[in-house]
Amino acid sequence: MLAAHRRAHRWIWLLLAPALAALLVAALAARPEWPRRPLDPAAAERAGADDLEPEGAPPGERAP
Amino acid sequence: MSHGYQAVGWSPFKKRYDLVLGGLLAGYLALFSLATLLLRPEITAETLLIRAFGTAALLLLHAVLAIGPLARLDGRFLPLLYNRRHLGVTMFLAALVHGALATFQFHALGDAPPLVSLLASNTRLDSLSQFPFQQLGLAALLILFLMAATSHDFWLAQLTAPVWKALHMGVYLAYALIVAHVALGALQDERSPLLAGALGAGVVAIAGLHLAAGRREAALDRERRAAGADGFVEVCGVDEIAEGRARVVTLGGERVAVFRYEGRLSALSNVCRHQNGPLGEGRIVDGCVTCPWHGYQYLPASGASPPPFSERVPTFRVRVVDRRVFVDPRPLPAGTPVAPAVVSESGGGG
Ligand code: FES
């Protein structure tokens, strides 16, 4: 491979790797149901939260 | 090579490669469909096909992108590189089926023409979870189409290897667009962690492989060697080069392959005329330097392909003193014959 081509390759991946990682994290964080696991209800109660999923709800499902 | 073109130069190896590839793809589609029908019997046929072809294209794209750095890191992967273009075209066809089915399912039944609907129905650029991810897929598909359409050696010759290689680096942009297409599309609705985990693992693997291969290349590029009074540069000992193989060194920023064969040494550019493949990682076969990527051949003493082929690479003067190899870093015009340095096998060297 030509030196310029090799350099271009290196730079592309040095930039692409963190960009793709950031994109994945942002996309996961943007999911409406993310994070999917309900918080520990006892800890939530201590913190005063009252609209959490009940314990034992199937992952990702809202209480009726 | 350069003496004429046909649609595909079929060989038994290529036929077997394509048969295996077609079989694997059909097997994957069948398995995916079966598993999905078992897990989600309510799924419609259209959605099932869209997902089956979409995931198949995604898997194939990862394979296409992994082969290059794998072959650079370990020569045992070289046979996979040989027909990588067939893999790329298959991947494009799977992506095309996925895109066509999705456009039909989601955009063909409204008042607007399907493509207009695809491009204009979602403009939520301000939201990640509602992002118009289908447009990202369409952009990637267009890039993949350009690459599939120009994948033939005819285009390689018309565009020249450096331009063709630069154009085909568009696959990295297509990859980024497809990762975004999946992350902002399917991943927003899919609750199973399987897709997120697989996509994350795929990105880490592909980026990791390219970064590792790039690091290795960079280390070789940084090599600096001082020239003697006559301009020749000491490269290595004769015994560091195996019979029929080469030692690759960086001289004046470019790479030179010094081959040892039948008691002689010849040096030529490491860059194959076909697709810039690394000649120095190839072998001497039938008296010719043979490129490890697709088998183009060059006579070691002249850098010229044997007739009827016409490719030529630059050559370099070599000399051996006390079993140390010296190379003149100034390249001679492509195809210039150079008397090989003679190595006496008993020691000394000439
Ligand atoms: S790069 Fe294809 S034969 Fe050398």
Side-chain angles (χ1 to χ4, degrees):
Chain A
M1 273 195 285
L2 295 166
H5 188 73
R6 286 195 298 271
R7 259 197 308 276
H9 248 99
R10 278 202 291 277
W11 275 108
I12 285 173
W13 282 101
L14 280 173
L15 297 173
L16 211 52
L20 289 178
L23 169 76
L24 272 182
V25 172
L28 287 177
R31 297 208 302 188
E33 74 276 24
W34 189 267
R36 289 176 40 221
R37 289 192 178 287
L39 298 175
D40 170 15
E45 207 171 304
R46 283 196 299 277
D50 56 4
D51 59 348
L52 293 165
E53 294 172 279
E55 198 173 14
E61 296 293 329
R62 291 262 159 218
Chain B
M1 293 190 199
S2 59
H3 70 300
Y5 296 104
Q6 55 188 108
V8 179
W10 290 110
S11 63
F13 180 69
K14 276 187 191 170
K15 282 185 189 160
R16 230 178 310 135
Y17 186 101
D18 283 7
L19 269 178
V20 171
L21 181 58
L24 281 177
L25 180 60
Y28 172 79
L29 293 173
L31 259 181
F32 182 92
S33 304
L34 202 71
T36 309
L37 282 173
L38 282 175
L39 292 171
R40 302 196 179 158
E42 74 284 358
I43 198 166
T44 65
E46 295 92 323
T47 307
L48 178 62
L49 285 173
I50 289 171
R51 291 186 181 179
F53 278 96
T55 51
L58 191 61
L59 282 172
L60 282 168
L61 179 59
H62 279 83
V64 168
L65 287 174
I67 288 173
L70 277 175
R72 301 217 61 70
L73 291 167
D74 188 332
R76 279 172 300 181
F77 290 99
L78 277 169
L80 294 176
L81 199 70
Y82 183 65
N83 279 329
R84 186 171 49 168
R85 279 182 280 177
H86 290 219
L87 204 58
V89 173
T90 308
M91 178 265 296
F92 163 71
L93 292 175
L96 183 65
V97 174
H98 164 80
L101 286 170
T103 307
F104 181 78
Q105 165 138 335
F106 300 115
H107 299 283
L109 304 173
D111 296 335
L115 267 183
V116 174
S117 164
L118 195 164
L119 289 171
S121 60
N122 180 358
T123 52
R124 292 289 312 273
L125 292 169
D126 57 333
S127 157
L128 272 183
S129 61
Q130 311 282 316
F131 198 85
F133 69 96
Q134 292 177 331
Q135 283 91 320
L136 299 174
L138 178 66
L141 197 57
L142 287 176
I143 296 174
L144 295 178
F145 167 72
L146 251 185
M147 295 181 35
T150 58
S151 66
H152 196 273
D153 271 0
F154 170 79
W155 282 105
L156 179 57
Q158 301 302 312
L159 296 169
T160 71
V163 175
W164 188 87
K165 290 293 274 188
L167 176 74
H168 280 240
M169 281 211 277
V171 71
Y172 302 138
L173 176 59
Y175 180 64
L177 287 167
I178 286 170
V179 170
H181 170 74
V182 178
L184 302 177
L187 213 57
Q188 297 300 311
D189 297 325
E190 180 57 56
R191 281 158 180 251
S192 142
L194 201 69
L195 180 64
L199 187 64
V203 168
V204 168
I206 295 297
L209 280 171
H210 277 90
L211 289 173
R215 236 182 101 137
R216 225 169 94 157
E217 300 287 325
L220 190 54
D221 277 345
R222 275 196 296 271
E223 268 186 3
R224 292 279 174 272
R225 292 162 194 270
D230 56 358
F232 277 66
V233 175
E234 184 174 347
V235 159
C236 62
V238 166
D239 301 315
E240 292 171 51
I241 312 178
E243 174 65 24
R245 296 284 190 166
R247 172 79 191 246
V248 178
V249 287
T250 306
L251 298 177
E254 274 307 342
R255 294 196 184 166
V256 177
V258 186
F259 275 91
R260 178 175 182 175
Y261 57 103
E262 297 161 8
R264 287 172 289 171
L265 292 176
S266 287
L268 36 139
S269 162
N270 190 49
V271 183
C272 177
R273 292 290 298 162
H274 180 218
Q275 283 182 25
N276 296 349
L279 288 180
E281 291 169 31
R283 280 181 293 165
I284 301 278
V285 177
D286 299 331
C288 289
V289 169
T290 305
C291 180
W293 282 10
H294 314 94
Y296 273 38
Q297 290 191 307
Y298 306 87
L299 294 164
S302 67
S305 293
F309 306 112
S310 57
E311 286 78 18
R312 295 176 193 305
V313 294
T315 48
F316 296 82
R317 292 191 188 86
V318 197
R319 94 175 32 140
V320 175
V321 179
D322 293 336
R323 294 194 78 71
R324 302 295 301 169
V325 182
F326 294 81
V327 176
D328 183 345
R330 291 159 293 194
L332 298 166
T336 307
V338 176
V342 177
V343 183
S344 59
E345 299 300 335
S346 54

